[in-house]
Structure formats: structure tokens, C-alpha cells
Amino acid sequence: MMSARGNAPFVCVRDLRHLYGDRTVLRLENWQLDAGEHQLLLGASGSGKTTLLSILAGLLTPTEGQVHLCGREITSMPAAARDRFRATHIGIIFQDHHLISSLTVDENLDLAIGLAGQKRDAEWCTYLLEKLGLRDRKHAKPRQLSRGEAQRVAIARAAAVRAPLILADEPTSALDESNADNAISLLFQIAEDYGATLLVASHDRRIMHRFGHLLHLDTPLRAAS
């Protein structure tokens, strides 16, 4: 499969299917994401958005199908190799944040950078925290953060390693319209700062107008732009 730009797509899914027990929760025959593209994965709760993100991140092995990312077929990788690949190639913003409770904001960023095998770039981390309004919170621990602050720390952590792919799961779910728009603007800016590809999963139709490309997950599954 070739992208519209004539190059191999950055992410390519083929004949993907995932079951929980005997129930099909995700079916996607062919879909691709070009390098540097910002795409919205849209669907109601239970439509398979988080399942697809987990498969793309290598956290879940699909029942059937293949995922190619950065020229690698990740679904057949051994678990340890997939973990190493994820640490260096994918920044993940989880819906529930998954910050390490015993670490400060700064230390959560340091851990992500260390797992990626990189040296800490203090200037870059400071830049991220400033852009997200968190510079004065870098010594705080997750229990001392508001839900919105924790959400922004998760964004900073995903961006800290400059991974070529950022996956964001419901990043505006707890935000009002103004803050939701600001959160998407920040994601776009951070992705553009170092040329990352961005996939945002959401059921929040308020942010649809910000994206030029959409992937709808509903019945039947279909891709649209």
C-alpha cells in the first residue's frame, strides 16, 4: 500500500480483527497514516478506539492482521523487542494518565527518556513544561496534581522522548470546550516541533474541525478523510 504522497505509509494496518471471547470488538481491513499527519480516530465509547491504540502501541496482540510501523511489522515481534520498539518510537497519552505515583513530574519525564535509551535534555523538558503551564509543578507528585494538570503531564511525558508517533487516548474527555481546544492546539504544536505523527482517539465531536483526516470507528468500520 502506498500513501497519497507516493511513499510507503508511516503506519499501515491490514486485515485487522480483535476478539474478546467470541465478540468482535475491532475490525479494520485497510488503513494508513502518513508521516507527519494528524488524524482523529472518532467513535462512540465501546467502538474499539482504545483497542486499536493498544494494538498500534504494541501493548495488545490482535487476533488477526498486521500492523506495520516505521517499516517494521510489529505484531509478530517478540514481547521484549516490541517493548524496546515502543519506548523509542511511540509516545502514549493514556486516558487514565498512568503516571508513576512515587515520582515527581520531572522524574516521570526522566523515566520515559531513560527507557528510550536517551540522555536527559533539560532544555527540552523545561520547554515542554513551560508550554503546558507546568514549570512550577515539576517537583509535584501525581497526587498533588489536578486532573487537568495530570493530563498535561501525560502529554509532556509522551513528547519528552521525541518519538516519531504520538498516540493520545481521549485527551479532552474531562475538559470544557475552551480547554479541549487548547489541549489539541498543544498536541499539534508539540508534534510539529519535532515532526511527529499524531493519532488522537476521541468520541468528542467538538474537536473534529481541527483535523483534516478522520478515521471513523462504528458499524461498519470505515476510513474517511
Side-chain angles (χ1 to χ4, degrees), residues 104 137 139-146 149:
T104 66
R137 305 296 281 153
H139 298 305
K141 292 189 174 179
R143 67 178 178 274
Q144 299 170 308
L145 302 174
S146 69
E149 287 172 336

Side-chain angles (χ1 to χ4, degrees), residues 19-63:
L19 283 74
Y20 288 126
D22 59 356
R23 183 170 65 95
T24 298
V25 295
L26 178 67
R27 187 191 299 274
L28 190 58
E29 292 183 0
N30 289 292
W31 169 73
Q32 66 185 48
L33 188 61
D34 290 341
E37 187 176 344
H38 301 163
Q39 190 166 139
L40 178 64
L41 173 60
L42 191 68
S45 296
S47 61
K49 300 187 304 298
T50 296
T51 298
L52 178 57
L53 288 191
S54 297
I55 291 171
L56 295 177
L59 295 167
L60 181 66
T61 301
T63 306

Side-chain angles (χ1 to χ4, degrees), residues 97-141:
H97 314 312
H98 293 298
L99 300 175
I100 305 301
S101 61
S102 61
L103 301 181
T104 66
V105 167
D106 226 15
E107 289 166 345
N108 268 277
L109 269 63
D110 284 349
L111 178 62
I113 293 169
L115 290 172
Q118 301 176 9
K119 292 183 178 180
R120 188 174 194 272
D121 185 338
E123 184 176 349
W124 174 243
C125 289
T126 297
Y127 168 81
L128 290 173
L129 294 178
E130 284 181 344
K131 284 290 185 183
L132 292 160
L134 293 166
R135 185 171 187 175
D136 294 337
R137 305 296 281 153
K138 66 180 182 179
H139 298 305
K141 292 189 174 179

Side-chain angles (χ1 to χ4, degrees), residues 32 50 58 61 64 71 74-75 94-95 104 106 108-110 117 128 143 147 156 161 177 189-190 206 224:
Q32 66 185 48
T50 296
T61 301
E64 298 174 4
I74 66 170
T75 44
F94 295 99
Q95 186 173 355
T104 66
D106 226 15
N108 268 277
L109 269 63
D110 284 349
L128 290 173
R143 67 178 178 274
R147 181 172 174 80
V161 299
E177 187 166 354
Q189 182 176 352
I190 290 169
R206 298 174 302 171

Side-chain angles (χ1 to χ4, degrees), residues 5 10-11 31-42 163-168 183-201 207-215 224-225:
R5 300 173 187 177
F10 183 75
V11 180
W31 169 73
Q32 66 185 48
L33 188 61
D34 290 341
E37 187 176 344
H38 301 163
Q39 190 166 139
L40 178 64
L41 173 60
L42 191 68
L165 176 63
I166 298 176
L167 303 174
I184 295 301
S185 294
L186 286 167
L187 279 172
F188 281 6
Q189 182 176 352
I190 290 169
E192 289 167 0
D193 280 343
Y194 64 95
T197 301
L198 175 64
L199 179 65
V200 175
I207 63 175
M208 284 181 62
H209 70 282
R210 300 296 305 275
F211 292 82
H213 299 275
L214 308 177
L215 172 66
S225 61

